[in-house]
Amino acid sequence: MRMDKYNLFTLGLVGGIMLFFIGMAANIVLGPSSETYILPRQVSATLKLTGMGIVCISMILGAVFVERIEKDSKYLIVIFGVILLLINILMMSYVKGY
């Protein structure tokens, strides 16, 4: 398989979504966190936010640079990517666990 822009776009979306769900599972696997033991929450938050960031970057850059996507779909992908990016920034800024 040749790695062109469309395949990198798809790989970024799939990888980011997988990383997000691995971050959700990491919180369960590492056990409950407390005030003194916050490692599970930190690992989970790092993986989830990294996955969300990869998805946002893939959506925004993929919609701009991939030629195989039609024009209306590009606009929707960019809008959805920016909305997810803003949600990600708000979660990092205002939610205590992140």
Coordinates of all heavy atoms in Angstrom, one line a residue:
M1 N 0.8 -1.2 0.0 CA 0.0 0.0 0.0 C 0.9 1.2 0.0 O 1.8 1.4 0.8 CB -0.9 0.0 1.2 CG -1.8 1.2 1.3 SD -3.0 1.1 2.7 CE -2.0 1.5 4.1
R2 N 0.6 2.1 -0.9 CA 1.4 3.4 -1.0 C 0.8 4.4 -0.1 O -0.4 4.6 0.0 CB 1.2 3.9 -2.5 CG 2.3 4.9 -2.8 CD 2.3 5.3 -4.3 NE 2.2 6.7 -4.3 CZ 1.3 7.5 -4.7 NH1 0.2 6.9 -5.3 NH2 1.4 8.8 -4.7
M3 N 1.7 5.1 0.7 CA 1.2 6.1 1.6 C 1.1 7.4 1.0 O 2.1 8.2 0.8 CB 2.2 6.1 2.8 CG 2.3 4.9 3.7 SD 0.7 4.5 4.4 CE 0.5 5.8 5.6
D4 N -0.1 7.7 0.5 CA -0.4 9.0 0.0 C -1.1 9.9 1.1 O -1.3 9.4 2.2 CB -1.1 9.0 -1.3 CG -2.5 8.2 -1.2 OD1 -2.7 7.6 -0.2 OD2 -3.2 8.3 -2.1
K5 N -1.6 11.0 0.7 CA -2.2 11.9 1.7 C -3.5 11.4 2.2 O -3.8 11.5 3.4 CB -2.5 13.3 1.0 CG -1.2 14.0 0.7 CD -1.5 15.3 -0.1 CE -0.3 16.0 -0.6 NZ -0.6 17.2 -1.4
Y6 N -4.3 10.7 1.3 CA -5.6 10.2 1.8 C -5.3 9.0 2.8 O -6.1 8.9 3.8 CB -6.4 9.7 0.6 CG -7.7 9.2 0.9 CD1 -8.7 10.1 1.2 CD2 -8.0 7.8 1.0 CE1 -10.0 9.7 1.6 CE2 -9.3 7.4 1.4 CZ -10.3 8.3 1.6 OH -11.5 7.9 2.0
N7 N -4.4 8.2 2.5 CA -4.1 7.1 3.5 C -3.5 7.6 4.8 O -3.9 7.1 5.9 CB -3.1 6.1 2.9 CG -3.7 5.3 1.8 OD1 -4.9 5.1 1.7 ND2 -2.8 4.7 0.9
L8 N -2.7 8.7 4.8 CA -2.3 9.3 6.0 C -3.4 9.9 6.8 O -3.5 9.8 8.0 CB -1.2 10.3 5.7 CG 0.2 9.8 5.4 CD1 1.1 10.9 5.0 CD2 0.8 9.0 6.5
F9 N -4.4 10.5 6.1 CA -5.6 11.1 6.7 C -6.4 10.0 7.4 O -6.8 10.2 8.5 CB -6.4 11.8 5.6 CG -7.8 12.2 6.0 CD1 -8.0 13.2 6.9 CD2 -8.9 11.6 5.4 CE1 -9.3 13.6 7.2 CE2 -10.1 11.9 5.7 CZ -10.3 12.9 6.6
T10 N -6.6 8.9 6.7 CA -7.3 7.8 7.3 C -6.6 7.2 8.4 O -7.2 6.9 9.5 CB -7.6 6.7 6.2 OG1 -8.2 7.4 5.1 CG2 -8.5 5.7 6.7
L11 N -5.3 7.0 8.3 CA -4.5 6.4 9.4 C -4.5 7.3 10.6 O -4.6 6.8 11.8 CB -3.1 6.2 8.9 CG -2.1 5.5 9.9 CD1 -2.6 4.1 10.1 CD2 -0.7 5.5 9.3
G12 N -4.5 8.6 10.4 CA -4.5 9.6 11.6 C -5.9 9.5 12.3 O -5.9 9.5 13.5
L13 N -7.0 9.4 11.5 CA -8.3 9.3 12.2 C -8.4 8.0 12.9 O -8.9 8.0 14.1 CB -9.4 9.4 11.1 CG -9.7 10.8 10.5 CD1 -10.7 10.7 9.4 CD2 -10.1 11.8 11.6
V14 N -8.1 6.9 12.3 CA -8.2 5.6 13.0 C -7.3 5.5 14.2 O -7.7 5.1 15.3 CB -7.9 4.5 12.0 CG1 -7.8 3.2 12.7 CG2 -9.0 4.4 10.9
G15 N -6.0 6.0 14.0 CA -5.1 6.0 15.2 C -5.5 6.8 16.3 O -5.4 6.5 17.5
G16 N -6.0 8.0 16.0 CA -6.5 8.9 17.1 C -7.7 8.4 17.8 O -7.8 8.5 19.0
I17 N -8.6 7.8 17.1 CA -9.8 7.2 17.7 C -9.4 6.0 18.6 O -9.9 5.8 19.7 CB -10.8 6.8 16.7 CG1 -11.4 8.1 16.1 CG2 -11.9 6.0 17.3 CD1 -12.3 7.8 14.8
M18 N -8.5 5.2 18.1 CA -8.0 4.0 18.9 C -7.3 4.5 20.1 O -7.5 3.9 21.2 CB -7.1 3.2 18.0 CG -7.8 2.3 17.0 SD -6.7 1.3 16.0 CE -5.8 0.4 17.2
L19 N -6.4 5.5 20.0 CA -5.7 6.0 21.2 C -6.7 6.6 22.2 O -6.5 6.5 23.4 CB -4.7 7.1 20.7 CG -3.6 7.5 21.7 CD1 -2.8 6.3 22.1 CD2 -2.7 8.5 21.1
F20 N -7.8 7.3 21.8 CA -8.8 7.8 22.7 C -9.4 6.7 23.5 O -9.5 6.7 24.7 CB -9.8 8.6 21.9 CG -10.9 9.1 22.8 CD1 -10.7 10.3 23.5 CD2 -12.1 8.5 22.8 CE1 -11.7 10.8 24.3 CE2 -13.1 9.0 23.6 CZ -12.9 10.2 24.4
F21 N -9.8 5.6 22.8 CA -10.4 4.5 23.5 C -9.4 3.7 24.4 O -9.8 3.2 25.4 CB -11.1 3.5 22.5 CG -12.4 4.1 22.1 CD1 -12.6 4.6 20.8 CD2 -13.5 4.3 22.9 CE1 -13.8 5.1 20.3 CE2 -14.7 4.8 22.5 CZ -14.9 5.2 21.2
I22 N -8.2 3.6 24.0 CA -7.1 3.0 24.8 C -7.0 3.9 26.1 O -6.8 3.3 27.2 CB -5.8 2.9 24.1 CG1 -5.9 1.8 23.0 CG2 -4.7 2.6 25.0 CD1 -4.8 1.7 22.1
G23 N -7.1 5.2 26.0 CA -7.0 6.1 27.2 C -8.2 5.8 28.1 O -8.1 5.9 29.3
M24 N -9.4 5.6 27.5 CA -10.5 5.3 28.4 C -10.3 3.9 29.1 O -10.7 3.8 30.3 CB -11.8 5.2 27.5 CG -12.2 6.6 27.0 SD -13.6 6.5 25.9 CE -14.9 6.0 27.0
A25 N -9.7 3.0 28.4 CA -9.5 1.7 29.0 C -8.4 1.7 30.1 O -8.4 1.0 31.0 CB -9.2 0.6 28.0
A26 N -7.4 2.6 29.9 CA -6.3 2.7 30.8 C -6.8 3.1 32.2 O -6.2 2.7 33.2 CB -5.3 3.7 30.3
N27 N -7.8 4.0 32.3 CA -8.3 4.4 33.6 C -8.9 3.2 34.3 O -8.7 3.1 35.5 CB -9.3 5.5 33.4 CG -9.7 6.2 34.6 OD1 -8.9 6.1 35.6 ND2 -10.7 6.9 34.6
I28 N -9.5 2.3 33.6 CA -10.1 1.1 34.2 C -9.0 0.1 34.6 O -9.0 -0.5 35.7 CB -11.1 0.4 33.3 CG1 -12.3 1.4 33.0 CG2 -11.6 -0.9 33.8 CD1 -13.2 1.0 31.9
V29 N -8.0 -0.1 33.7 CA -7.0 -1.1 34.0 C -6.1 -0.7 35.1 O -5.7 -1.5 36.0 CB -6.1 -1.3 32.7 CG1 -4.9 -2.1 32.9 CG2 -7.0 -1.9 31.6
L30 N -5.7 0.6 35.2 CA -4.8 1.1 36.3 C -5.5 1.2 37.7 O -4.8 1.4 38.7 CB -4.2 2.4 35.9 CG -3.3 2.4 34.7 CD1 -2.8 3.8 34.4 CD2 -2.1 1.5 35.0
G31 N -6.8 1.1 37.7 CA -7.5 1.1 39.0 C -8.0 2.5 39.4 O -7.7 3.5 38.7
P32 N -8.6 2.6 40.5 CA -9.2 3.9 41.0 C -8.0 4.8 41.4 O -7.0 4.4 41.9 CB -10.1 3.5 42.1 CG -9.5 2.2 42.6 CD -9.0 1.5 41.5
S33 N -8.3 6.1 41.2 CA -7.3 7.1 41.6 C -7.8 7.8 42.9 O -9.0 7.7 43.2 CB -7.1 8.2 40.5 OG -8.3 8.8 40.3
S34 N -6.9 8.4 43.6 CA -7.3 9.1 44.9 C -6.6 10.4 44.9 O -6.0 10.8 43.9 CB -6.9 8.2 46.1 OG -5.5 8.1 46.2
E35 N -6.7 11.1 46.0 CA -6.0 12.4 46.0 C -4.5 12.3 46.0 O -3.8 13.2 45.5 CB -6.4 13.1 47.3 CG -7.9 13.6 47.3 CD -8.1 14.7 46.3 OE1 -7.2 15.5 46.1 OE2 -9.2 14.7 45.7
T36 N -4.0 11.2 46.5 CA -2.5 11.1 46.5 C -2.0 10.2 45.3 O -0.9 10.4 44.9 CB -2.1 10.4 47.8 OG1 -2.7 9.1 48.0 CG2 -2.4 11.3 49.0
Y37 N -2.9 9.3 44.8 CA -2.5 8.4 43.7 C -3.3 8.9 42.5 O -4.3 8.4 42.2 CB -2.7 7.0 44.1 CG -2.4 6.0 43.0 CD1 -1.1 5.8 42.6 CD2 -3.4 5.2 42.4 CE1 -0.8 4.9 41.6 CE2 -3.1 4.3 41.4 CZ -1.7 4.1 41.1 OH -1.4 3.2 40.1
I38 N -2.7 9.8 41.7 CA -3.4 10.3 40.5 C -2.9 9.8 39.2 O -3.3 10.3 38.2 CB -3.4 11.9 40.6 CG1 -2.0 12.4 40.5 CG2 -4.2 12.4 41.7 CD1 -1.9 13.9 40.4
L39 N -2.0 8.8 39.3 CA -1.4 8.3 38.0 C -2.5 7.8 37.0 O -2.4 8.1 35.9 CB -0.4 7.2 38.4 CG 0.3 6.6 37.2 CD1 1.2 7.6 36.6 CD2 1.1 5.3 37.6
P40 N -3.5 7.0 37.5 CA -4.4 6.5 36.5 C -5.2 7.6 35.8 O -5.4 7.6 34.5 CB -5.4 5.7 37.3 CG -4.7 5.3 38.5 CD -3.7 6.4 38.8
R41 N -5.5 8.6 36.5 CA -6.2 9.8 35.9 C -5.3 10.5 34.9 O -5.7 11.0 33.9 CB -6.7 10.7 37.0 CG -7.6 11.8 36.5 CD -8.2 12.6 37.6 NE -7.2 12.9 38.6 CZ -7.5 13.3 39.8 NH1 -8.8 13.4 40.2 NH2 -6.6 13.6 40.7
Q42 N -4.0 10.7 35.3 CA -3.1 11.4 34.4 C -2.8 10.6 33.2 O -2.8 11.2 32.1 CB -1.8 11.7 35.2 CG -1.9 12.7 36.3 CD -0.6 12.9 37.0 OE1 0.2 12.0 37.1 NE2 -0.4 14.1 37.6
V43 N -2.6 9.3 33.3 CA -2.3 8.5 32.1 C -3.5 8.5 31.2 O -3.4 8.7 29.9 CB -1.9 7.1 32.5 CG1 -1.8 6.2 31.3 CG2 -0.6 7.1 33.2
S44 N -4.7 8.3 31.7 CA -5.9 8.3 30.9 C -6.1 9.6 30.2 O -6.5 9.6 29.0 CB -7.1 7.9 31.8 OG -8.3 8.0 31.1
A45 N -6.0 10.7 31.0 CA -6.2 12.0 30.4 C -5.2 12.3 29.3 O -5.5 12.8 28.2 CB -6.1 13.1 31.4
T46 N -3.9 11.9 29.5 CA -2.9 12.1 28.5 C -3.2 11.4 27.2 O -3.2 11.9 26.1 CB -1.5 11.7 29.0 OG1 -1.3 12.5 30.2 CG2 -0.5 11.9 28.0
L47 N -3.6 10.1 27.3 CA -3.9 9.3 26.1 C -5.2 9.8 25.4 O -5.2 9.9 24.2 CB -4.1 7.8 26.5 CG -2.8 7.1 26.9 CD1 -3.1 5.7 27.4 CD2 -1.8 7.1 25.8
K48 N -6.2 10.1 26.2 CA -7.4 10.6 25.6 C -7.2 11.9 24.9 O -7.7 12.1 23.7 CB -8.5 10.7 26.6 CG -9.1 9.4 27.1 CD -10.3 9.6 27.9 CE -10.0 10.2 29.3 NZ -11.1 10.2 30.2
L49 N -6.6 12.9 25.5 CA -6.3 14.2 24.8 C -5.4 14.1 23.7 O -5.5 14.8 22.7 CB -5.9 15.2 25.9 CG -6.9 15.6 26.9 CD1 -6.3 16.4 28.0 CD2 -8.1 16.2 26.3
T50 N -4.4 13.2 23.7 CA -3.5 13.0 22.6 C -4.3 12.4 21.4 O -4.1 12.8 20.3 CB -2.4 12.1 22.9 OG1 -1.7 12.6 24.0 CG2 -1.4 11.9 21.8
G51 N -5.2 11.4 21.7 CA -6.0 10.9 20.6 C -6.9 11.9 20.0 O -7.1 12.0 18.8
M52 N -7.5 12.7 20.8 CA -8.4 13.8 20.3 C -7.6 14.8 19.5 O -8.1 15.3 18.5 CB -9.1 14.5 21.5 CG -10.2 13.8 22.1 SD -11.7 13.9 21.2 CE -12.2 15.6 21.5
G53 N -6.4 15.1 19.9 CA -5.6 16.0 19.2 C -5.2 15.5 17.8 O -5.2 16.2 16.8
I54 N -4.9 14.2 17.8 CA -4.5 13.6 16.5 C -5.7 13.6 15.6 O -5.6 13.8 14.4 CB -4.0 12.1 16.7 CG1 -2.6 12.2 17.4 CG2 -3.9 11.4 15.4 CD1 -2.1 10.9 17.9
V55 N -6.9 13.3 16.1 CA -8.1 13.3 15.3 C -8.3 14.7 14.7 O -8.6 14.9 13.5 CB -9.3 12.8 16.0 CG1 -10.6 13.1 15.3 CG2 -9.2 11.3 16.3
C56 N -8.2 15.7 15.6 CA -8.5 17.1 15.1 C -7.4 17.5 14.1 O -7.8 18.1 13.0 CB -8.4 18.1 16.3 SG -9.7 17.9 17.5
I57 N -6.2 17.2 14.3 CA -5.2 17.6 13.3 C -5.4 16.9 12.0 O -5.2 17.5 10.9 CB -3.8 17.3 13.9 CG1 -3.5 18.3 15.0 CG2 -2.7 17.4 12.8 CD1 -2.2 18.0 15.8
S58 N -5.7 15.6 12.1 CA -5.9 14.8 10.9 C -7.1 15.4 10.1 O -7.1 15.5 8.8 CB -6.2 13.4 11.2 OG -5.1 12.8 11.7
M59 N -8.2 15.8 10.8 CA -9.4 16.3 10.1 C -9.1 17.6 9.4 O -9.4 17.9 8.3 CB -10.5 16.4 11.1 CG -11.1 15.1 11.5 SD -12.3 15.2 12.7 CE -13.7 15.6 11.7
I60 N -8.4 18.5 10.1 CA -8.2 19.9 9.6 C -7.2 19.8 8.5 O -7.4 20.3 7.4 CB -7.7 20.8 10.7 CG1 -8.9 21.0 11.7 CG2 -7.3 22.2 10.1 CD1 -8.5 21.8 13.0
L61 N -6.0 19.2 8.7 CA -5.0 19.1 7.7 C -5.4 18.2 6.5 O -5.1 18.5 5.3 CB -3.7 18.6 8.2 CG -3.0 19.6 9.2 CD1 -1.7 19.0 9.7 CD2 -2.7 20.9 8.5
G62 N -6.1 17.1 6.8 CA -6.5 16.2 5.8 C -7.5 16.9 4.8 O -7.5 16.7 3.6
A63 N -8.4 17.6 5.4 CA -9.4 18.3 4.5 C -8.8 19.4 3.7 O -9.3 19.6 2.6 CB -10.5 18.9 5.4
V64 N -7.7 20.0 4.1 CA -7.1 21.0 3.4 C -6.2 20.4 2.2 O -6.2 20.9 1.1 CB -6.2 21.9 4.3 CG1 -5.4 22.9 3.5 CG2 -7.1 22.7 5.3
F65 N -5.5 19.4 2.5 CA -4.5 18.9 1.6 C -4.9 17.7 0.7 O -4.2 17.4 -0.3 CB -3.2 18.6 2.3 CG -2.5 19.8 2.9 CD1 -2.4 20.0 4.2 CD2 -2.0 20.8 2.0 CE1 -1.8 21.1 4.7 CE2 -1.4 21.9 2.5 CZ -1.3 22.0 3.9
V66 N -5.9 16.9 1.1 CA -6.3 15.7 0.3 C -7.2 16.2 -0.8 O -8.2 16.8 -0.7 CB -7.0 14.7 1.2 CG1 -7.5 13.6 0.4 CG2 -6.1 14.2 2.3
E67 N -6.8 15.7 -2.0 CA -7.6 16.1 -3.2 C -8.8 15.2 -3.5 O -9.7 15.5 -4.2 CB -6.7 16.1 -4.5 CG -5.6 17.2 -4.4 CD -4.3 16.7 -3.7 OE1 -4.2 15.5 -3.5 OE2 -3.5 17.6 -3.3
R68 N -8.7 14.0 -3.0 CA -9.8 13.0 -3.3 C -11.1 13.2 -2.6 O -12.0 12.5 -2.8 CB -9.2 11.6 -2.9 CG -8.2 11.1 -3.9 CD -7.5 9.8 -3.5 NE -8.4 8.8 -3.0 CZ -8.0 7.6 -2.6 NH1 -6.7 7.3 -2.5 NH2 -8.9 6.7 -2.2
I69 N -11.1 14.1 -1.7 CA -12.4 14.4 -1.0 C -13.1 15.6 -1.7 O -12.5 16.6 -2.1 CB -12.1 14.9 0.5 CG1 -11.3 13.8 1.2 CG2 -13.3 15.2 1.3 CD1 -10.8 14.2 2.6
E70 N -14.4 15.4 -1.8 CA -15.2 16.4 -2.6 C -15.3 17.7 -1.7 O -15.1 17.7 -0.5 CB -16.5 15.9 -3.0 CG -17.4 15.3 -1.9 CD -18.6 14.7 -2.5 OE1 -18.5 13.8 -3.3 OE2 -19.7 15.2 -2.1
K71 N -15.6 18.8 -2.4 CA -15.6 20.1 -1.8 C -16.5 20.3 -0.6 O -16.1 20.8 0.5 CB -16.0 21.1 -2.9 CG -15.8 22.6 -2.5 CD -16.2 23.5 -3.6 CE -16.2 24.9 -3.3 NZ -16.5 25.8 -4.4
D72 N -17.8 19.8 -0.7 CA -18.7 20.0 0.5 C -18.2 19.1 1.7 O -18.4 19.6 2.8 CB -20.1 19.5 0.1 CG -20.7 20.5 -1.0 OD1 -20.3 21.7 -1.0 OD2 -21.5 20.0 -1.8
S73 N -17.7 18.0 1.4 CA -17.2 17.1 2.5 C -16.0 17.8 3.2 O -15.8 17.7 4.4 CB -16.8 15.8 2.0 OG -18.0 15.1 1.5
K74 N -15.2 18.4 2.4 CA -14.0 19.1 3.0 C -14.5 20.2 4.0 O -13.9 20.3 5.1 CB -13.2 19.8 1.9 CG -12.3 18.8 1.2 CD -11.4 19.6 0.2 CE -10.5 18.7 -0.5 NZ -9.4 19.4 -1.2
Y75 N -15.5 21.0 3.6 CA -16.0 22.0 4.5 C -16.5 21.4 5.8 O -16.2 21.9 6.9 CB -17.0 22.8 3.8 CG -16.5 23.7 2.7 CD1 -17.3 23.9 1.5 CD2 -15.3 24.4 2.8 CE1 -16.8 24.7 0.5 CE2 -14.9 25.2 1.7 CZ -15.6 25.3 0.6 OH -15.2 26.1 -0.4
L76 N -17.3 20.3 5.7 CA -17.8 19.7 6.9 C -16.7 19.1 7.7 O -16.8 19.2 9.0 CB -18.8 18.6 6.5 CG -20.1 19.1 5.9 CD1 -21.0 17.9 5.4 CD2 -20.9 19.9 6.9
I77 N -15.7 18.5 7.1 CA -14.6 17.9 7.9 C -13.8 19.0 8.7 O -13.5 18.9 9.8 CB -13.7 17.1 7.0 CG1 -14.4 15.8 6.6 CG2 -12.4 16.7 7.7 CD1 -13.7 15.1 5.5
V78 N -13.6 20.2 8.0 CA -12.9 21.3 8.7 C -13.7 21.8 9.8 O -13.2 22.1 10.9 CB -12.5 22.4 7.6 CG1 -12.0 23.6 8.3 CG2 -11.4 21.9 6.7
I79 N -15.0 22.0 9.6 CA -15.8 22.6 10.6 C -15.9 21.6 11.8 O -15.7 22.0 13.0 CB -17.2 22.9 10.1 CG1 -17.2 24.1 9.1 CG2 -18.2 23.2 11.2 CD1 -18.5 24.3 8.3
F80 N -16.1 20.3 11.6 CA -16.1 19.4 12.6 C -14.8 19.3 13.4 O -14.7 19.1 14.6 CB -16.6 18.0 12.1 CG -16.9 17.0 13.1 CD1 -17.9 17.3 14.0 CD2 -16.3 15.8 13.2 CE1 -18.3 16.4 15.0 CE2 -16.6 14.9 14.2 CZ -17.6 15.2 15.1
G81 N -13.7 19.3 12.6 CA -12.4 19.3 13.3 C -12.1 20.5 14.1 O -11.6 20.4 15.2
V82 N -12.5 21.7 13.7 CA -12.4 22.9 14.6 C -13.2 22.8 15.8 O -12.8 23.2 16.9 CB -12.7 24.2 13.7 CG1 -12.8 25.4 14.6 CG2 -11.6 24.3 12.7
I83 N -14.5 22.3 15.7 CA -15.3 22.1 16.8 C -14.7 21.2 17.8 O -14.7 21.4 19.0 CB -16.8 21.7 16.4 CG1 -17.5 22.8 15.7 CG2 -17.6 21.2 17.6 CD1 -18.8 22.5 15.0
L84 N -14.2 20.0 17.3 CA -13.6 19.1 18.2 C -12.3 19.7 18.9 O -12.0 19.4 20.1 CB -13.2 17.8 17.5 CG -14.3 16.8 17.3 CD1 -13.7 15.6 16.4 CD2 -14.8 16.3 18.6
L85 N -11.6 20.5 18.2 CA -10.4 21.1 18.7 C -10.8 22.1 19.8 O -10.2 22.2 20.9 CB -9.6 21.9 17.6 CG -8.3 22.6 18.0 CD1 -7.3 21.5 18.5 CD2 -7.8 23.4 16.9
L86 N -11.9 22.9 19.6 CA -12.3 23.8 20.7 C -12.8 23.0 21.9 O -12.6 23.4 23.0 CB -13.4 24.7 20.1 CG -13.0 25.7 19.1 CD1 -14.2 26.5 18.5 CD2 -12.0 26.6 19.7
I87 N -13.5 21.9 21.7 CA -14.0 21.1 22.8 C -12.8 20.6 23.6 O -12.8 20.5 24.8 CB -14.9 20.0 22.3 CG1 -16.2 20.5 21.9 CG2 -15.1 18.9 23.4 CD1 -17.1 19.5 21.2
N88 N -11.8 20.1 22.9 CA -10.6 19.6 23.5 C -9.9 20.7 24.3 O -9.4 20.5 25.4 CB -9.6 19.1 22.4 CG -8.5 18.2 22.9 OD1 -8.5 17.9 24.0 ND2 -7.7 17.8 22.0
I89 N -9.8 21.9 23.8 CA -9.2 23.0 24.5 C -10.0 23.4 25.8 O -9.4 23.6 26.8 CB -9.0 24.2 23.6 CG1 -7.9 23.9 22.6 CG2 -8.6 25.5 24.4 CD1 -7.8 25.0 21.5
L90 N -11.3 23.4 25.6 CA -12.1 23.7 26.8 C -12.0 22.6 27.9 O -12.0 22.9 29.1 CB -13.6 23.8 26.4 CG -13.9 25.1 25.6 CD1 -15.4 25.1 25.1 CD2 -13.6 26.3 26.4
M91 N -11.9 21.3 27.5 CA -11.7 20.3 28.5 C -10.4 20.4 29.2 O -10.4 20.3 30.4 CB -11.8 18.9 27.8 CG -13.1 18.4 27.5 SD -13.3 16.8 26.8 CE -11.7 16.1 26.8
M92 N -9.4 20.8 28.5 CA -8.1 20.9 29.1 C -8.0 22.2 30.0 O -7.4 22.2 31.1 CB -7.0 21.1 28.1 CG -6.6 19.8 27.4 SD -5.4 19.8 26.1 CE -4.5 21.3 26.3
S93 N -8.8 23.2 29.7 CA -8.8 24.4 30.5 C -9.7 24.4 31.7 O -9.3 24.9 32.7 CB -9.2 25.6 29.6 OG -8.3 25.7 28.5
Y94 N -10.9 23.8 31.6 CA -11.8 24.0 32.6 C -12.2 22.8 33.4 O -12.7 22.9 34.6 CB -13.1 24.6 32.0 CG -13.0 26.0 31.5 CD1 -13.1 26.2 30.1 CD2 -12.7 27.0 32.3 CE1 -12.9 27.5 29.6 CE2 -12.5 28.3 31.8 CZ -12.6 28.5 30.5 OH -12.4 29.8 29.9
V95 N -11.9 21.6 33.0 CA -12.2 20.4 33.7 C -11.1 20.1 34.6 O -9.9 20.1 34.2 CB -12.5 19.2 32.8 CG1 -12.8 18.0 33.5 CG2 -13.7 19.6 31.9
K96 N -11.4 19.8 35.9 CA -10.3 19.6 36.9 C -9.5 18.4 36.7 O -8.3 18.4 37.0 CB -11.0 19.6 38.3 CG -10.0 19.4 39.4 CD -10.7 19.3 40.7 CE -9.7 19.1 41.9 NZ -10.3 18.8 43.1
G97 N -10.1 17.3 36.2 CA -9.3 16.1 36.0 C -8.3 16.1 34.9 O -7.4 15.2 34.9
Y98 N -8.2 17.1 34.1 CA -7.3 17.1 33.0 C -6.1 18.0 33.2 O -6.1 19.0 33.6 CB -8.0 17.5 31.7 CG -8.9 16.4 31.2 CD1 -10.3 16.5 31.4 CD2 -8.4 15.3 30.6 CE1 -11.1 15.5 31.0 CE2 -9.3 14.3 30.2 CZ -10.6 14.4 30.4 OH -11.5 13.4 30.0

